[in-house]
Amino acid sequence: MRMVSRNRKPYFLKALLLAFVSCASISCGVKQVVVPSNKIVGNPADNLRYDYAGTFNQEDLQFLKDTFRWTQDVLVINYNLSDDNCTIPYNKPTDPKTRYDRARNYWDSFYSDIDLMGAKVVHVEASERYAKAFGSYSNGYYWDEKGFLLDHFFNNARECENVLVVNKEGKFYQENRSYSQQQVAFYIAKLKSQLPEDLLQN
């Protein structure tokens, strides 16, 4: 018959407690649980739709930096054609403040759901009337006063809202029609991944 010492139980409990405390302090090799973000995160390995991609020359790149006071790794330009140039007519209010409020209600939500990875987002209006009014409501709105963006970047735009995403080396992706949050997230992630490590902002 096997004899069990009466003194063994306390030592066993002490050892178990010591193992538990040690495990808690070093996590016992178990990975910490990270709560995932609810943002739409771009994957550079994806292959989402775009109309144009390439690299801008230094003159065009400098224009973007100067015009939008852009110093971040990536710039996102949401470009709105004038009502006369939209190939697909939208039922938009003509009163500037009503139109601005409706635009903000849509675009603020659109971009807040995306992991922008530090990118700067600007909104550009081709229409003088709306650009001047919107610019007085928010410093995130610009007017394409001399049509430079329209002539150089959006001359083949198909619809009212278009997007151009560019990194500080001049590489870009562009969609000249309605676009999705997934596309913007992909463009940003792809363009960030193409920047050398020494140029990336922390």
Side-chain angles (χ1 to χ4, degrees):
M1 184 156 106
R2 188 171 172 187
M3 301 292 296
V4 178
S5 168
R6 292 183 182 180
N7 293 331
R8 187 174 178 183
K9 189 173 183 181
Y11 287 118
F12 175 74
L13 290 175
K14 284 182 182 178
L16 187 62
L17 182 61
L18 180 62
F20 176 77
V21 171
S22 299
C23 223
S25 64
I26 63 174
S27 302
C28 285
V30 177
K31 291 182 180 179
Q32 297 293 323
V33 177
V34 178
V35 179
S37 168
N38 59 356
K39 301 268 187 186
I40 297 170
V41 180
N43 181 355
D46 286 342
N47 187 23
L48 295 184
R49 182 189 75 193
Y50 56 86
D51 284 331
Y52 301 101
T55 305
F56 290 133
N57 61 41
Q58 284 302 309
E59 181 182 354
D60 288 345
L61 185 61
Q62 195 60 49
F63 171 86
L64 297 176
K65 290 178 179 179
D66 294 343
T67 301
F68 302 113
R69 299 183 290 278
W70 165 40
T71 59
Q72 294 83 352
D73 290 335
V74 175
L75 175 68
V76 179
I77 300 175
N78 171 275
Y79 191 87
N80 293 296
L81 293 175
S82 67
D83 290 349
D84 293 337
N85 291 330
C86 287
T87 57
I88 299 177
Y90 291 102
N91 183 23
K92 292 184 176 180
T94 56
D95 171 62
K97 186 63 170 71
T98 304
R99 187 162 175 156
Y100 170 81
D101 290 341
R102 192 171 105 170
R104 294 278 31 88
N105 185 55
Y106 178 80
W107 291 116
D108 287 351
S109 175
F110 182 96
Y111 281 105
S112 66
D113 288 343
I114 300 171
D115 182 0
L116 295 173
M117 303 175 72
K120 180 172 187 174
V121 179
V122 297
H123 300 269
V124 180
E125 294 284 331
S127 165
E128 177 181 0
R129 180 185 184 210
Y130 295 117
K132 286 187 172 180
F134 292 2
S136 69
Y137 308 142
S138 166
N139 59 11
Y141 272 89
Y142 296 82
W143 174 30
D144 188 14
E145 184 174 0
K146 296 181 179 178
F148 184 90
L149 291 173
L150 183 61
D151 292 341
H152 285 72
F153 308 137
F154 295 103
N155 56 340
N156 290 319
R158 302 187 183 108
E159 297 179 14
C160 294
E161 289 92 10
N162 311 272
V163 69
L164 169 67
V165 185
V166 56
N167 71 18
K168 58 188 176 184
E169 283 195 322
K171 295 178 181 177
F172 72 91
Y173 287 96
Q174 183 173 348
E175 183 76 346
N176 279 359
R177 52 186 153 171
S178 297
Y179 57 93
S180 70
Q181 293 169 311
Q182 288 75 15
Q183 284 175 278
V184 175
F186 162 70
Y187 300 159
I188 292 172
K190 187 75 171 178
L191 291 168
K192 287 269 287 192
S193 73
Q194 292 173 346
L195 285 172
E197 286 290 332
D198 60 335
L199 288 184
L200 285 169
Q201 293 182 358
N202 296 324

